[in-house]
Amino acid sequence: MAVLIHLNVAIAEFTELKQQLERDSLVLSVLKQLQEFDRAIKDYNTALLEKKYVAAARHLEKARSSLKTLESRKGFELKVLKALGTELTVQTQNMLYHLGEEWRQMVLWKLPPSKEISSAETVMQTELHLRTMPLKEDQIAGSPVASVLQAFAVLGELHTRLKLFGQLLLKYILKPLISYPSLRPLLEEQPDTVVLHFESAEPNLEHPSPMEVFGKITLVLEVLHKHLLNVSLDECGENDKDSRVVLAEMLGDMVWEEVSGCLIQECLVYSIPANSSKLEQYVEVIKSTEEFEKSLKNMGFLKGDATDLLKYARNVNSHFANKKCQDVIVAARKLMTSEIHNTVKITPDSSVAIPKLPDPGAGDNLKMQKASKMLHNELINLENETKLSQQTFSLPTCHISVSVEKLMELAYQTLVEATTSTDQCCIQLFYSVRNIFHLFYDVVPIYHKENLQKLPQLAAIHHNNCMYIAHHLLTLGHQFRYCLTNILYDGAATFVDLVPGFRRLGLECFLAQMRVQKGELLERLSSARNFSNMDNEENYSAANKAARQVLHQLKRLGKVWQDVLPVNIYCKAMGTLLNTALSEIINRITALEDISAEDADRLHSLCRIMLEEGPLVFTPLLEENKNKKYQEEVPVYVQKWMMFKELMIILQANLQEIVDRWADGKGPLAAEFSPTEVKSLIRALFQNTERRAATLAKIK
């Protein structure tokens, strides 16, 4: 029992001693970490005084590691740790301040007062000073640049510092050199410093050549590489070969994406040729781009294969096609939004001036021979048939907008360009031409909507424009069929499907204007007081005024459309409007229930005005002597003309004359009026007598 008691006591003492040992070991470990922290801080201060920045930074990191170890011990919190953390932060900031001062001595920026770069003059105030030799009183152990930058790397600040430098380099040097052709980089070497600034020269072109811009950028980067960035650093702060990185490569990773994007948008885009004949010269641009990237790789700014910049330059055929298509559409839209009223006269002999089309390729000879044979057979078959006039399929003489003529020339020139381009480019250009006409169909009616509704002349010109385009679309594809790529040969190279739409577009616009004019004519005639009670002076004056206004409107339209519309369209349009007026007058007079002798005389005089002056509104041509032919053909274009003349005869005729003109339903009166209408007129004109009854009985 006594042994058991002694054993328990021994175990308790052992446990207590063990716990005491653990506490002592922990205290000893903490004291050791505190000692290491203190030694690291002392070594840091010594190294900092001697300007051994890399060593000082490593001592700081060692102190930071010791403090982290102390803070990680759970259940053993010391109040002194907070003070140590504060001290470490203060010393780190002190170290960064010293490094920052050293960096500012090595790399000094003199920037314009304005933060926004608005002109080349603003950028001219920028200077970058790179110190090539340290000051005698500030001798730094080792290479000054390498020492300072490696210290930044150890403290984890290298990326931040380099990023800030890259942003300034982009904003104040690289981008301005790309954007402003007048700027030239100028290098000034002083005993212990190299100064990079700008000079201004009058640019030869609005946009500089890529070779010139590449030269400027290369000069700047060579200076930076020689005096600042040709340094190999340990990015992790450890002496590990795998973690070493060249500073130029780090900067390149930060700025290259923006630099290449700017070079593409501000330089290479404008170097894309405007026509296919200059594509071969673009080889020089591709070569200079390759040499530019090669020089950047040699300096370490770039790594890996071709970048987006070189890929863009090499893909010139696609960019040329895209640019050409874009330019074509922009030019077309500008023409579509220009004034319609500036016109040019088109005759059956007119044609669009285009360069001679190239001969089809050797691969197309078979197609040409086959087509020629088919054409020859067709000619033989037609040889004995009635021959058509040379102008059967010609566009009649009219006026079209100058802008539409230029638009058609643009379409032809673009297709000519397509014949000498690569297959892909040819296809893109062909469909760009189709897009021109789709754009016209969508843009012109909307953009000029108000004028087309208000102004009869513009509606007529727009009608002609649409018919002119439709006329060319009929054969446009066929003219280029054998000169375009094989992909488009088998029926794809056509514009015929667009023809009905354009004809409808022109027709609908002109018919809408015709409806407006008809409405105005009927409105004027509505003030004629139904042509009733003409023995009343006020009524007669109102009717006479209405007739005069109708003739005035028609004469004005006749002048507005003169020499603009094709003669046949002009005559049909004027005939339709005059017919509307005459038809309304006929309907009003035939609807009268009572017409006195005086009323009949005055109605006849009104109708005589329309009969005599109506044909005079037909003036399709500028030469007055040539218009007489069309004025004599009025009955051809005015459907109710003969009916109107018969009405005038009835107003002055007696019952026997009416019977004679009816001629048992075979006379001229029967050709224009129905029996009911004639009977109605007889009842209105003549009193109810046996003679009238006998006459009515004969009208059947």
Side-chain angles (χ1 to χ4, degrees):
M1 190 66 178
V3 174
L4 184 60
I5 292 171
H6 287 298
L7 182 60
N8 289 335
V9 170
I11 291 172
E13 288 178 353
F14 176 77
T15 303
E16 185 180 348
L17 288 172
K18 182 182 176 185
Q19 291 173 350
Q20 183 65 42
L21 178 62
E22 288 176 352
R23 284 197 296 273
D24 291 344
S25 297
L26 183 58
V27 169
L28 185 63
S29 174
V30 168
L31 290 173
K32 187 176 180 182
Q33 293 294 334
L34 288 171
Q35 183 184 20
E36 287 182 3
F37 180 89
D38 181 64
R39 187 184 301 116
I41 293 295
K42 287 179 179 179
D43 292 343
Y44 150 76
N45 285 321
T46 302
L48 187 61
L49 288 172
E50 295 174 357
K51 294 195 174 184
K52 297 179 179 179
Y53 292 122
V54 178
R58 289 202 170 107
H59 288 311
L60 265 184
E61 287 304 300
K62 190 174 181 181
R64 194 183 313 280
S65 176
S66 297
L67 184 60
K68 283 183 179 179
T69 303
L70 288 170
E71 290 173 341
S72 66
R73 297 184 182 279
K74 296 180 180 179
F76 200 87
E77 293 80 10
L78 294 175
K79 293 181 179 180
V80 73
L81 294 183
K82 187 174 182 181
L84 294 178
T86 303
E87 175 66 15
L88 183 61
T89 301
V90 169
Q91 294 303 329
T92 302
Q93 293 303 315
N94 182 45
M95 175 77 176
L96 290 174
Y97 170 78
H98 280 85
L99 290 175
E101 288 299 308
E102 294 289 353
W103 177 252
R104 274 187 286 277
Q105 287 184 7
M106 296 174 190
V107 181
L108 177 63
W109 286 95
K110 291 186 179 180
L111 303 175
S114 174
K115 291 185 178 180
E116 296 299 323
I117 304 298
S118 57
S119 64
E121 287 72 23
T122 306
V123 185
M124 289 284 292
Q125 303 174 54
T126 301
E127 289 185 7
L128 175 59
H129 295 248
L130 300 175
R131 189 171 297 281
T132 55
M133 293 180 64
L135 298 174
K136 291 182 180 179
E137 62 272 18
D138 290 331
Q139 291 291 335
I140 300 174
S143 169
V145 174
S147 179
V148 170
L149 292 174
Q150 184 62 67
F152 274 131
V154 173
L155 295 176
E157 287 289 319
L158 178 62
H159 190 273
T160 303
R161 291 284 172 170
L162 203 57
K163 185 178 181 180
L164 178 60
F165 176 79
Q167 289 171 345
L168 294 173
L169 184 67
L170 272 173
K171 182 175 181 180
Y172 293 100
I173 294 183
L174 298 181
K175 283 187 175 181
L177 282 176
I178 299 170
S179 302
Y180 299 109
S182 61
L183 290 179
R184 301 283 187 278
L186 194 62
L187 193 64
E188 183 182 336
E189 295 191 6
Q190 298 175 359
D192 58 353
T193 308
V194 171
V195 181
L196 187 64
H197 56 95
F198 295 109
E199 65 176 353
S200 181
E202 193 66 30
N204 297 325
L205 302 169
E206 183 182 356
H207 302 287
S209 69
M211 289 76 84
E212 185 180 347
V213 175
F214 293 159
K216 296 176 186 178
I217 301 297
T218 303
L219 175 61
V220 171
L221 295 181
E222 282 177 347
V223 172
L224 292 176
H225 181 263
K226 180 179 179 181
H227 299 290
L228 182 66
L229 302 177
N230 190 21
V231 178
S232 178
L233 299 176
D234 177 11
E235 195 176 9
C236 301
E238 304 292 339
N239 291 320
D240 185 358
K241 290 183 179 180
D242 295 335
S243 67
R244 298 194 73 77
V245 63
V246 177
L247 200 62
E249 188 177 308
M250 286 183 66
L251 183 65
D253 290 340
M254 293 176 184
V255 304
W256 177 246
E257 185 175 346
E258 280 197 58
V259 171
S260 62
C262 190
L263 283 168
I264 290 171
Q265 296 301 323
E266 300 287 342
C267 183
L268 285 184
V269 163
Y270 300 105
S271 70
I272 301 297
N275 53 66
S276 55
S277 61
K278 295 182 180 179
L279 275 175
E280 293 182 3
Q281 301 174 13
Y282 199 78
V283 175
E284 296 179 11
V285 175
I286 299 174
K287 187 177 180 182
S288 65
T289 307
E290 292 173 346
E291 291 174 352
F292 174 62
E293 288 202 358
K294 184 178 179 181
S295 66
L296 296 189
K297 288 176 183 177
N298 291 338
M299 289 186 282
F301 285 99
L302 284 183
K303 56 184 178 181
D305 298 326
T307 66
D308 291 341
L309 182 69
L310 187 54
K311 289 176 183 175
Y312 185 93
R314 287 173 175 169
N315 199 18
V316 63
N317 286 323
S318 175
H319 298 313
F320 163 73
N322 294 337
K323 180 183 178 182
K324 185 69 181 179
C325 293
Q326 183 179 354
D327 290 347
V328 165
I329 294 299
V330 169
R333 196 182 191 286
K334 187 176 180 180
L335 289 170
M336 292 172 201
T337 53
S338 61
E339 297 295 341
I340 294 178
H341 60 73
N342 296 324
T343 62
V344 61
K345 192 169 186 177
I346 296 296
T347 66
D349 299 325
S350 301
S351 61
V352 178
I354 59 169
K356 184 180 178 182
L357 293 177
D359 294 331
D364 295 329
N365 286 341
L366 187 60
K367 292 187 293 185
M368 286 295 289
Q369 291 170 7
K370 182 178 179 182
S372 299
K373 186 176 180 181
M374 289 171 60
L375 187 60
H376 178 68
N377 292 337
E378 289 172 7
L379 289 175
I380 292 173
N381 293 336
L382 286 173
E383 189 173 344
N384 296 324
E385 300 291 335
T386 303
K387 292 187 178 180
L388 298 172
S389 165
Q390 289 184 349
Q391 296 184 354
T392 299
F393 297 107
S394 298
L395 195 70
T397 301
C398 63
H399 272 75
I400 65 167
S401 300
V402 172
S403 59
V404 167
E405 185 181 45
K406 291 180 178 177
L407 188 73
M408 210 65 233
E409 288 176 0
L410 176 66
Y412 273 95
Q413 289 164 3
T414 305
L415 287 174
V416 170
E417 185 86 48
T419 62
T420 59
S421 302
T422 61
D423 284 358
Q424 182 58 39
C425 183
C426 177
I427 293 170
Q428 284 185 254
L429 290 176
F430 171 79
Y431 283 102
S432 286
V433 174
R434 283 186 62 92
N435 289 338
I436 288 176
F437 300 115
H438 284 300
L439 192 66
F440 184 98
Y441 193 91
D442 293 332
V443 169
V444 173
I446 302 300
Y447 186 85
H448 299 283
K449 182 178 181 180
E450 189 174 346
N451 287 336
L452 292 176
Q453 289 174 344
K454 289 182 178 180
L455 305 174
Q457 187 182 55
L458 292 194
I461 294 171
H462 178 63
H463 166 271
N464 294 347
N465 290 343
C466 293
M467 295 304 168
Y468 175 79
I469 292 173
H471 177 75
H472 279 280
L473 291 180
L474 282 170
T475 58
L476 186 60
H478 181 75
Q479 292 177 63
F480 289 88
R481 181 181 180 186
Y482 300 110
C483 304
L484 298 173
T485 175
N486 290 337
I487 302 171
L488 295 172
Y489 173 71
D490 295 326
T494 184
F495 296 88
V496 175
D497 56 308
L498 302 176
V499 171
F502 270 90
R503 286 177 175 169
R504 185 169 57 252
L505 182 67
L507 195 59
E508 286 175 353
C509 175
F510 190 65
L511 288 178
Q513 185 59 229
M514 288 286 287
R515 286 191 290 272
V516 171
Q517 297 302 323
K518 282 183 179 180
E520 291 182 8
L521 288 173
L522 295 175
E523 186 179 349
R524 297 183 195 286
L525 288 173
S526 67
S527 64
R529 302 187 182 183
N530 293 325
F531 294 92
S532 64
N533 300 325
M534 288 293 101
D535 52 351
N536 182 296
E537 284 299 328
E538 287 186 7
N539 287 0
Y540 177 71
S541 177
N544 185 60
K545 182 181 178 182
R548 293 289 180 187
Q549 286 179 337
V550 165
L551 288 170
H552 175 74
Q553 179 182 339
L554 290 173
K555 286 177 182 177
R556 181 176 58 83
L557 272 177
K559 289 295 182 184
V560 165
W561 287 340
Q562 186 181 64
D563 203 42
V564 173
L565 285 170
V567 172
N568 64 323
I569 301 295
Y570 177 98
C571 291
K572 286 180 182 178
M574 294 303 297
T576 300
L577 293 175
L578 180 56
N579 189 72
T580 298
L582 297 184
S583 181
E584 180 67 10
I585 293 172
I586 292 169
N587 291 337
R588 294 291 178 91
I589 293 176
T590 55
L592 296 174
E593 295 180 356
D594 184 30
I595 304 173
S596 66
E598 187 178 351
D599 287 348
D601 289 339
R602 290 195 166 186
L603 285 172
H604 183 272
S605 66
L606 286 176
C607 290
R608 188 173 65 249
I609 293 172
M610 298 298 296
L611 191 72
E612 291 174 354
E613 298 188 25
L616 300 180
V617 303
F618 285 78
T619 55
L621 302 175
L622 293 173
E623 301 85 355
E624 288 296 333
N625 59 326
K626 293 184 179 180
N627 289 327
K628 190 174 181 181
K629 170 190 173 186
Y630 303 104
Q631 292 167 0
E632 292 172 351
E633 295 175 352
V634 166
V636 176
Y637 304 110
V638 183
Q639 185 181 356
K640 300 282 187 178
W641 186 257
M642 298 308 296
M643 188 179 191
F644 189 73
K645 291 180 75 173
E646 287 298 322
L647 176 63
M648 287 179 63
I649 293 172
I650 291 177
L651 290 172
Q652 293 289 290
N654 56 39
L655 290 171
Q656 185 57 47
E657 288 173 343
I658 293 174
V659 171
D660 291 342
R661 294 196 70 80
W662 182 258
D664 295 329
K666 298 177 182 178
L669 180 59
E672 303 300 334
F673 286 95
S674 66
T676 305
E677 290 171 333
V678 175
K679 288 179 180 180
S680 177
L681 281 169
I682 292 173
R683 291 189 182 102
L685 286 164
F686 299 95
Q687 293 181 351
N688 189 7
T689 62
E690 291 181 3
R691 285 187 65 196
R692 191 184 83 168
T695 301
L696 290 173
K698 294 177 181 179
I699 305 299
K700 55 185 177 180

